[in-house]
Amino acid sequence: IAGIITKRNIEPGEIIQAQNPAFTMISESDFEIEANIPEADIAKLLLGQRATITLDAYGDEIIFEGKVAHIDPAETIIDGVPTYLIKIHFIKKDARIKSGLTANIDILIARREQVITVPTRAIVSRGTEKIVKVLKGGEVQEIEVEIGLRGSDGSTEIIQGIKESDQIVISDGE
């Protein structure tokens, strides 16, 4: 393979054994990110979905773009949780991307604009029902709602049940 030798583990004249690598090298092909996704989230991923990537070395201000290029069909158990290995390819080559850098990825699953959202902690589950407490006429009423997408910011979309002007009541301890 074509690549760059990054480490030499032997000296001239040394005898090596098969289990000890003589050299370490990295490929000259494009870099990719490998990530383990828990089973609760894997059903939401599709090949080709876009991802935004930040690298710890450059901070949150420098954003790289990528796409999901591979999803393993079989699980790997990590700390007792089934996870699935995915690979994300960078869309554009960039000299700042180096082997071994720590990456943070956000994968856009769906996007909706102009929707009603409430803090996820404001939603109470009772069996199959989802309830939100609303202040109406000075009294707290429980309203059944239909929920949609959950955001990474701790909010949940409300599809049906409340309107934009409703005042949501969040009770501690629930």
PDB file of all heavy atoms in Angstrom, residues 36-51:
ATOM      1  N   ASN A  36     -18.569   4.465  17.454  1.00  0.00           N
ATOM      2  CA  ASN A  36     -19.498   3.430  17.886  1.00  0.00           C
ATOM      3  C   ASN A  36     -20.807   4.096  18.300  1.00  0.00           C
ATOM      4  O   ASN A  36     -20.829   4.935  19.198  1.00  0.00           O
ATOM      5  CB  ASN A  36     -18.911   2.631  19.048  1.00  0.00           C
ATOM      6  CG  ASN A  36     -17.750   1.782  18.597  1.00  0.00           C
ATOM      7  OD1 ASN A  36     -17.906   0.920  17.751  1.00  0.00           O
ATOM      8  ND2 ASN A  36     -16.570   2.048  19.121  1.00  0.00           N
ATOM      9  N   ILE A  37     -21.897   3.712  17.648  1.00  0.00           N
ATOM     10  CA  ILE A  37     -23.213   4.303  17.878  1.00  0.00           C
ATOM     11  C   ILE A  37     -24.059   3.303  18.656  1.00  0.00           C
ATOM     12  O   ILE A  37     -24.184   2.149  18.242  1.00  0.00           O
ATOM     13  CB  ILE A  37     -23.894   4.647  16.534  1.00  0.00           C
ATOM     14  CG1 ILE A  37     -22.997   5.537  15.678  1.00  0.00           C
ATOM     15  CG2 ILE A  37     -25.262   5.273  16.769  1.00  0.00           C
ATOM     16  CD1 ILE A  37     -22.671   6.884  16.269  1.00  0.00           C
ATOM     17  N   PRO A  38     -24.665   3.730  19.783  1.00  0.00           N
ATOM     18  CA  PRO A  38     -25.507   2.801  20.551  1.00  0.00           C
ATOM     19  C   PRO A  38     -26.734   2.365  19.764  1.00  0.00           C
ATOM     20  O   PRO A  38     -27.214   3.079  18.882  1.00  0.00           O
ATOM     21  CB  PRO A  38     -25.903   3.604  21.793  1.00  0.00           C
ATOM     22  CG  PRO A  38     -25.471   4.992  21.575  1.00  0.00           C
ATOM     23  CD  PRO A  38     -24.579   5.043  20.381  1.00  0.00           C
ATOM     24  N   GLU A  39     -27.253   1.184  20.122  1.00  0.00           N
ATOM     25  CA  GLU A  39     -28.381   0.618  19.383  1.00  0.00           C
ATOM     26  C   GLU A  39     -29.604   1.521  19.401  1.00  0.00           C
ATOM     27  O   GLU A  39     -30.398   1.503  18.464  1.00  0.00           O
ATOM     28  CB  GLU A  39     -28.744  -0.762  19.924  1.00  0.00           C
ATOM     29  CG  GLU A  39     -29.385  -0.756  21.295  1.00  0.00           C
ATOM     30  CD  GLU A  39     -29.840  -2.130  21.740  1.00  0.00           C
ATOM     31  OE1 GLU A  39     -30.207  -2.962  20.887  1.00  0.00           O
ATOM     32  OE2 GLU A  39     -29.834  -2.362  22.945  1.00  0.00           O
ATOM     33  N   ALA A  40     -29.767   2.341  20.429  1.00  0.00           N
ATOM     34  CA  ALA A  40     -30.925   3.241  20.500  1.00  0.00           C
ATOM     35  C   ALA A  40     -30.908   4.282  19.386  1.00  0.00           C
ATOM     36  O   ALA A  40     -31.953   4.812  19.016  1.00  0.00           O
ATOM     37  CB  ALA A  40     -30.965   3.931  21.858  1.00  0.00           C
ATOM     38  N   ASP A  41     -29.738   4.567  18.826  1.00  0.00           N
ATOM     39  CA  ASP A  41     -29.623   5.602  17.797  1.00  0.00           C
ATOM     40  C   ASP A  41     -29.339   5.062  16.400  1.00  0.00           C
ATOM     41  O   ASP A  41     -29.491   5.787  15.423  1.00  0.00           O
ATOM     42  CB  ASP A  41     -28.502   6.582  18.177  1.00  0.00           C
ATOM     43  CG  ASP A  41     -28.826   7.352  19.439  1.00  0.00           C
ATOM     44  OD1 ASP A  41     -30.007   7.647  19.673  1.00  0.00           O
ATOM     45  OD2 ASP A  41     -27.885   7.661  20.202  1.00  0.00           O
ATOM     46  N   ILE A  42     -28.943   3.804  16.280  1.00  0.00           N
ATOM     47  CA  ILE A  42     -28.481   3.299  14.985  1.00  0.00           C
ATOM     48  C   ILE A  42     -29.582   3.264  13.931  1.00  0.00           C
ATOM     49  O   ILE A  42     -29.327   3.479  12.752  1.00  0.00           O
ATOM     50  CB  ILE A  42     -27.787   1.916  15.126  1.00  0.00           C
ATOM     51  CG1 ILE A  42     -26.931   1.616  13.884  1.00  0.00           C
ATOM     52  CG2 ILE A  42     -28.805   0.815  15.383  1.00  0.00           C
ATOM     53  CD1 ILE A  42     -25.750   2.514  13.723  1.00  0.00           C
ATOM     54  N   ALA A  43     -30.826   3.037  14.346  1.00  0.00           N
ATOM     55  CA  ALA A  43     -31.927   2.960  13.377  1.00  0.00           C
ATOM     56  C   ALA A  43     -32.176   4.302  12.690  1.00  0.00           C
ATOM     57  O   ALA A  43     -32.796   4.355  11.633  1.00  0.00           O
ATOM     58  CB  ALA A  43     -33.199   2.481  14.066  1.00  0.00           C
ATOM     59  N   LYS A  44     -31.690   5.384  13.273  1.00  0.00           N
ATOM     60  CA  LYS A  44     -31.890   6.722  12.705  1.00  0.00           C
ATOM     61  C   LYS A  44     -30.858   7.052  11.625  1.00  0.00           C
ATOM     62  O   LYS A  44     -31.027   8.019  10.889  1.00  0.00           O
ATOM     63  CB  LYS A  44     -31.799   7.775  13.813  1.00  0.00           C
ATOM     64  CG  LYS A  44     -32.808   7.577  14.920  1.00  0.00           C
ATOM     65  CD  LYS A  44     -32.515   8.528  16.062  1.00  0.00           C
ATOM     66  CE  LYS A  44     -33.328   8.176  17.293  1.00  0.00           C
ATOM     67  NZ  LYS A  44     -32.898   8.946  18.452  1.00  0.00           N
ATOM     68  N   LEU A  45     -29.801   6.271  11.529  1.00  0.00           N
ATOM     69  CA  LEU A  45     -28.710   6.586  10.599  1.00  0.00           C
ATOM     70  C   LEU A  45     -28.893   5.913   9.249  1.00  0.00           C
ATOM     71  O   LEU A  45     -29.344   4.774   9.162  1.00  0.00           O
ATOM     72  CB  LEU A  45     -27.371   6.156  11.180  1.00  0.00           C
ATOM     73  CG  LEU A  45     -26.886   6.893  12.417  1.00  0.00           C
ATOM     74  CD1 LEU A  45     -25.492   6.428  12.791  1.00  0.00           C
ATOM     75  CD2 LEU A  45     -26.903   8.387  12.217  1.00  0.00           C
ATOM     76  N   LEU A  46     -28.500   6.640   8.216  1.00  0.00           N
ATOM     77  CA  LEU A  46     -28.520   6.115   6.860  1.00  0.00           C
ATOM     78  C   LEU A  46     -27.205   6.470   6.177  1.00  0.00           C
ATOM     79  O   LEU A  46     -26.593   7.493   6.499  1.00  0.00           O
ATOM     80  CB  LEU A  46     -29.668   6.740   6.053  1.00  0.00           C
ATOM     81  CG  LEU A  46     -31.077   6.473   6.553  1.00  0.00           C
ATOM     82  CD1 LEU A  46     -32.076   7.336   5.797  1.00  0.00           C
ATOM     83  CD2 LEU A  46     -31.433   5.004   6.415  1.00  0.00           C
ATOM     84  N   LEU A  47     -26.805   5.645   5.238  1.00  0.00           N
ATOM     85  CA  LEU A  47     -25.612   5.957   4.460  1.00  0.00           C
ATOM     86  C   LEU A  47     -25.827   7.272   3.724  1.00  0.00           C
ATOM     87  O   LEU A  47     -26.918   7.549   3.230  1.00  0.00           O
ATOM     88  CB  LEU A  47     -25.316   4.841   3.459  1.00  0.00           C
ATOM     89  CG  LEU A  47     -24.858   3.515   4.052  1.00  0.00           C
ATOM     90  CD1 LEU A  47     -24.695   2.471   2.958  1.00  0.00           C
ATOM     91  CD2 LEU A  47     -23.574   3.679   4.831  1.00  0.00           C
ATOM     92  N   GLY A  48     -24.800   8.093   3.696  1.00  0.00           N
ATOM     93  CA  GLY A  48     -24.863   9.360   2.991  1.00  0.00           C
ATOM     94  C   GLY A  48     -25.329  10.534   3.832  1.00  0.00           C
ATOM     95  O   GLY A  48     -25.255  11.674   3.385  1.00  0.00           O
ATOM     96  N   GLN A  49     -25.822  10.279   5.060  1.00  0.00           N
ATOM     97  CA  GLN A  49     -26.251  11.396   5.900  1.00  0.00           C
ATOM     98  C   GLN A  49     -25.069  12.300   6.202  1.00  0.00           C
ATOM     99  O   GLN A  49     -23.948  11.840   6.391  1.00  0.00           O
ATOM    100  CB  GLN A  49     -26.870  10.896   7.209  1.00  0.00           C
ATOM    101  CG  GLN A  49     -28.306  10.462   7.042  1.00  0.00           C
ATOM    102  CD  GLN A  49     -28.906   9.918   8.319  1.00  0.00           C
ATOM    103  OE1 GLN A  49     -28.280   9.118   9.007  1.00  0.00           O
ATOM    104  NE2 GLN A  49     -30.112  10.338   8.613  1.00  0.00           N
ATOM    105  N   ARG A  50     -25.339  13.588   6.252  1.00  0.00           N
ATOM    106  CA  ARG A  50     -24.308  14.585   6.493  1.00  0.00           C
ATOM    107  C   ARG A  50     -23.960  14.671   7.969  1.00  0.00           C
ATOM    108  O   ARG A  50     -24.813  14.472   8.832  1.00  0.00           O
ATOM    109  CB  ARG A  50     -24.759  15.964   6.019  1.00  0.00           C
ATOM    110  CG  ARG A  50     -24.931  16.070   4.522  1.00  0.00           C
ATOM    111  CD  ARG A  50     -23.579  15.911   3.842  1.00  0.00           C
ATOM    112  NE  ARG A  50     -23.701  15.997   2.410  1.00  0.00           N
ATOM    113  CZ  ARG A  50     -22.985  16.816   1.672  1.00  0.00           C
ATOM    114  NH1 ARG A  50     -22.111  17.620   2.203  1.00  0.00           N
ATOM    115  NH2 ARG A  50     -23.131  16.820   0.366  1.00  0.00           N
ATOM    116  N   ALA A  51     -22.714  14.999   8.241  1.00  0.00           N
ATOM    117  CA  ALA A  51     -22.227  15.161   9.607  1.00  0.00           C
ATOM    118  C   ALA A  51     -21.386  16.426   9.678  1.00  0.00           C
ATOM    119  O   ALA A  51     -20.700  16.775   8.716  1.00  0.00           O
ATOM    120  CB  ALA A  51     -21.382  13.953  10.014  1.00  0.00           C
TER     121      ALA A  51
END
